[in-house]
Amino acid sequence: MSQKVLLTSKEVNIILHRLACQLIEKHLDFSNTILVGIQPRGTFLAERLKDLLENEYKISKIALGYLDITFFRDDFRRTEKPLEANKTQIDFIVEDKKVVFIDDVLYTGRSIRSALTAIQSFGRPSEIELLVLIDRRFSRHLPIQPDFRGRQVDAINDERVKVCWTEQDGEDAVYLINK
């Protein structure tokens, strides 16, 4: 198994700032916008973006929630091992709000399809957008594309993209792993 560095810590930081600026351009003061991190790994990106928006760009009162899609997945009953659910934490109504789904890697699109179904339990958003750190361009099973992307990656065959976050993995980096 070999791995190639796609993004260093410095590059991840630059991309996070760029994504934050793109969100500001589109949503201005975030008074009608909600950020939703897709569990489990989208939450790290969502928290980082919220922190940047509040501390670096001085935007206050950004609503952030976490959405668990485990039981909404179309492969829920197809796996050998039992799936472990994460915690959904959405303390607000999404009715008529602009929702920005945040995830680390967009691969087949199936997780986002699940998130679209799961969010309906909290109301009907006026709009839903998708922000991802990594967009695996040629891997889609569903017609889902990101509105905001950090980096586009062409991973083929058995290659896998691994996003590491300091909070969980001890470093900020993105690797392309070849099995």
Side-chain angles (χ1 to χ4, degrees), residues 7 19-20 28 42 44 54 63-64 66 68 91 96 114 146 159 176:
L7 296 173
L19 289 170
L28 301 174
F44 298 111
E54 290 179 340
L64 172 63
Y66 308 114
D68 178 45
D91 312 359
D96 293 326
S114 301
E159 293 176 328
L176 182 64

Side-chain angles (χ1 to χ4, degrees), residues 36-84:
V36 176
I38 306 297
Q39 287 278 23
R41 301 196 56 90
T43 59
F44 298 111
L45 178 55
E47 288 168 0
R48 290 285 191 86
L49 287 170
K50 181 179 191 267
D51 184 59
L52 273 176
L53 291 166
E54 290 179 340
N55 297 318
E56 298 282 328
Y57 299 101
K58 307 303 180 205
I59 298 171
S60 60
K61 299 181 182 173
I62 294 176
L64 172 63
Y66 308 114
L67 184 63
D68 178 45
I69 59 168
T70 303
F71 300 113
F72 295 91
R73 295 179 56 92
D74 59 5
D75 62 354
F76 173 59
R77 299 194 191 283
R78 295 177 180 216
T79 59
E80 301 268 330
K81 61 179 184 167
L83 294 173
E84 291 184 31

